[in-house]
């Protein structure tokens, strides 16, 4: 009797496992139909004082939903040296690169842009990328903007395809380099105040 009950439980467990795996596979395949499947990497840039850990939740969410099958990290030293951690295979689907600036409070945007370029060049050398997408949060949107200003026209570099800016402070930061009501837009949308950081 005990042996018979054990067999019933094992069969039931096997059936549940098969159903669970089937549902999971169905969800992943259904999710993949809703997304562009590409080998173009998306670089995630964290905000001021943060790290790649701030990017983890959204990157892991994308992986769990079947949007990507690859997440790697690009550690950038305070001198701008890049170490790629992980591996991006040729058949990687919508790979994500979590960019991690070790000097995460550097407000020299031209230097941040150079570090971003170093990441792009490292990916180009190792994986042969020709284009990429970017997602920036807070201050690291400045890395992206200054990258575009300083290197966007360089045809020897991979080109940005899509850009998402989250909480970018393009109009300054109240209390730091902007005062409430100081910046106004003219009828063409041009601001009356420009930061000297853009010079």
């Amino acid at each position: 009797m005990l042996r018979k009950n054990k067999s019933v439980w094992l069969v039931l467990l096997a059936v549940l496992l098969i159903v669970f795996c089937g549902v999971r596979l169905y969800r992943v395949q259904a999710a993949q139909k809703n997304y562009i499947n590409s080998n173009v990497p998306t670089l995630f840039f964290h905000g001021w004082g943060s790290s790649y850990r701030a990017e983890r939740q959204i990157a892991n969410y994308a992986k769990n939903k079947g949007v990507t099958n690859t997440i790697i990290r690009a550690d950038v030293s305070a001198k701008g040296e890049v170490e790629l951690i992980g591996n991006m295979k040729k058949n990687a689907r919508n790979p994500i690169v979590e960019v991690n600036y070790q000097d995460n409070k550097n407000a020299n945007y031209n230097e941040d842009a150079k570090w971003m370029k170093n990441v792009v060049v490292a990916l180009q050398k190792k994986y042969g990328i020709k284009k990429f997408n970017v997602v920036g949060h807070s201050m690291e949107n400045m890395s992206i903007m200054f990258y575009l200003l300083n290197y966007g026209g360089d045809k020897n570099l991979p080109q940005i395809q899509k850009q998402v800016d989250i909480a970018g402070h393009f109009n300054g930061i109240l209390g730091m380099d902007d005062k409430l009501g100081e910046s106004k837009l003219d009828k063409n949308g041009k601001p009356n105040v420009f930061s000297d950081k853009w010079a």
Side-chain angles (χ1 to χ4, degrees), residues 48-148:
W48 186 89
S50 191
S51 74
Y52 76 96
R53 288 179 185 88
E55 305 156 8
R56 279 257 102 138
Q57 188 172 3
I58 192 168
N60 286 335
Y61 181 83
K63 190 170 185 181
N64 290 337
K65 291 295 183 182
V67 177
T68 184
N69 60 1
T70 303
I71 300 171
I72 68 169
R73 188 167 78 234
D75 269 345
V76 183
S77 76
K79 294 181 179 179
E81 296 160 345
V82 177
E83 178 187 4
L84 296 175
I85 299 167
N87 188 34
M88 190 164 53
K89 296 178 181 173
K90 279 190 175 181
N91 63 347
R93 186 179 65 255
N94 302 324
I96 292 173
V97 181
E98 298 170 330
V99 179
N100 185 54
Y101 286 168
Q102 291 177 3
D103 181 359
N104 59 8
K105 296 180 180 177
N106 183 17
N108 179 337
Y109 302 142
N110 286 302
E111 188 170 37
D112 291 341
K114 186 175 181 189
W115 294 349
M116 178 177 168
K117 178 188 173 205
N118 294 348
V119 171
V120 171
V121 168
L123 292 167
Q124 183 182 37
K125 284 182 180 174
K126 186 164 184 180
Y127 298 112
I129 70 165
K130 294 182 174 37
K131 49 191 173 179
F132 63 101
N133 304 314
V134 289
V135 176
H137 176 246
S138 188
M139 188 179 87
E140 292 317 323
N141 283 301
M142 298 298 106
S143 288
I144 298 166
M145 297 311 296
F146 275 78
Y147 174 89
L148 288 169

